[in-house]
Each structure stands twice: as C-alpha cells, then as structure tokens.
C-alpha cells in the first residue's frame, strides 16, 4: 500500500518515504470525483517562509490546517508587481486567476501610497488597482503556482 512511480507497474519501489517540506504542493490527477487525498504533518506555530524558483514556475501549498484569505499570504520585498505573479484556482467560484502583489513600499515608491489604494493582490491586468483580490480563500491544502523574476519567499502565516 502506498505511492509508486506511474512507470513502476511491478510495484517494486515504494515512494512512501519522500518528505515534503512545509509549504510543498503536489498536483494530483484523479479519475473519479469521489477520490479523496488525505495528508498529515506538523502545524507551524509561527509564520513560515517558502522559497520559489527564480525565472520559472514554482508550486506552493497552504500548509495551514485551516483556510486563509489570500491577503494573509505575503511575498517578500523582491516580488515585482506586474512582472511577478501567482496563478490560483478560486475554489469557491471555480475561477482561475493570474494575480500580482502590490506592497505599501511599491505604492509609496510610485507616489500613490496615500491615495487610498489597498495593499495586496490584484489581477495582473488590473493596472489601475481597481479591485483587490485579497478575499479569495485558500483552503487547507490548496496550492498555487508562482512565477517570479527575482529571489522571493512567500510568508505562510501560522494557524495557531
């Protein structure tokens, strides 16, 4: 019983001992709507920072045992608005979004920090910063894809 490479039809080499660091994500393909995937592990008692590949796609999972709003997820200062992005599936609306993060430092550097704009996530096409997307819910175990041009970490808040 357990995990095997899809090419290991003889079930010769179990893959059950692979450790997934906090914040890791996996993509699962199932052929049945009734399939469920359970997982267990540690619960972080403080915020954790997850690194992603530079100039490529990364994959991060909500390692918290509870849902969090996208606005609670913050990239480090290297995240460049409208250059760097995440791709997320909004489970509530079953809608795919490409989003970018706008920090207070970026707003201030562009002389719009005092004009009532909200810090947080926006669609990559929303250059007028008209509609913040901070209320999208990431349920426990939900994942998203990243694309960053520089060294960036994502802060996953503690659930405790």
């Amino acid at each position: 019983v357990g995990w095997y490479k899809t090419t290991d039809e003889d079930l010769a080499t179990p893959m059950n001992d692979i450790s997934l660091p906090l914040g890791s994500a996996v993509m699962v393909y199932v052929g049945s709507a009734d399939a469920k995937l359970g997982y267990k592990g540690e619960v972080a008692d403080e915020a954790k920072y997850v690194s992603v590949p530079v100039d490529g796609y990364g994959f991060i999972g909500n390692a918290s045992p509870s849902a969090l709003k996208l606005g609670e997820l913050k990239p480090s200062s290297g995240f460049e608005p409208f250059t760097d992005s995440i791709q997320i599936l909004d489970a509530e609306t079953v809608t795919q979004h490409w989003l970018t993060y706008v920090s207070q430092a970026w707003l201030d550097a562009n002389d719009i920090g005092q004009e009532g704009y909200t810090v947080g996530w926006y669609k990559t096409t929303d250059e007028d910063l008209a509609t913040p997307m901070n209320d999208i819910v990431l349920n426990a175990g939900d994942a998203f894809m990243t694309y960053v041009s520089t060294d960036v970490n994502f802060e996953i808040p503690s659930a405790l």
Side-chain angles (χ1 to χ4, degrees), residues 141-159:
D142 283 355
F144 58 92
M145 206 167 7
T146 65
Y147 185 86
V148 296
S149 57
T150 60
D151 189 25
V152 172
N153 296 315
F154 285 84
E155 178 184 344
I156 299 175
S158 168

Side-chain angles (χ1 to χ4, degrees), residues 65-151:
S66 58
L68 61 91
K69 289 189 176 181
L70 192 57
E72 297 175 83
L73 180 77
K74 296 175 179 56
S76 62
S77 60
F79 194 93
E80 183 62 37
F82 302 103
T83 298
D84 299 334
S85 63
I86 65 172
Q87 179 183 8
I88 188 169
L89 177 65
D90 182 346
E92 291 183 9
T93 62
V94 192
T95 306
Q96 177 181 323
H97 299 290
W98 282 95
L99 304 171
T100 195
Y101 186 82
V102 174
S103 67
Q104 186 64 51
W106 186 87
L107 291 170
D108 291 343
N110 286 280
D111 296 324
I112 57 175
Q114 304 303 317
E115 295 183 23
Y117 291 106
T118 300
V119 169
W121 296 95
Y122 291 85
K123 290 183 179 182
T124 55
T125 56
D126 187 4
E127 293 182 5
D128 294 331
L129 306 179
T131 309
M133 305 297 285
N134 293 327
D135 290 335
I136 292 175
V137 174
L138 285 173
N139 293 306
D142 283 355
F144 58 92
M145 206 167 7
T146 65
Y147 185 86
V148 296
S149 57
T150 60
D151 189 25

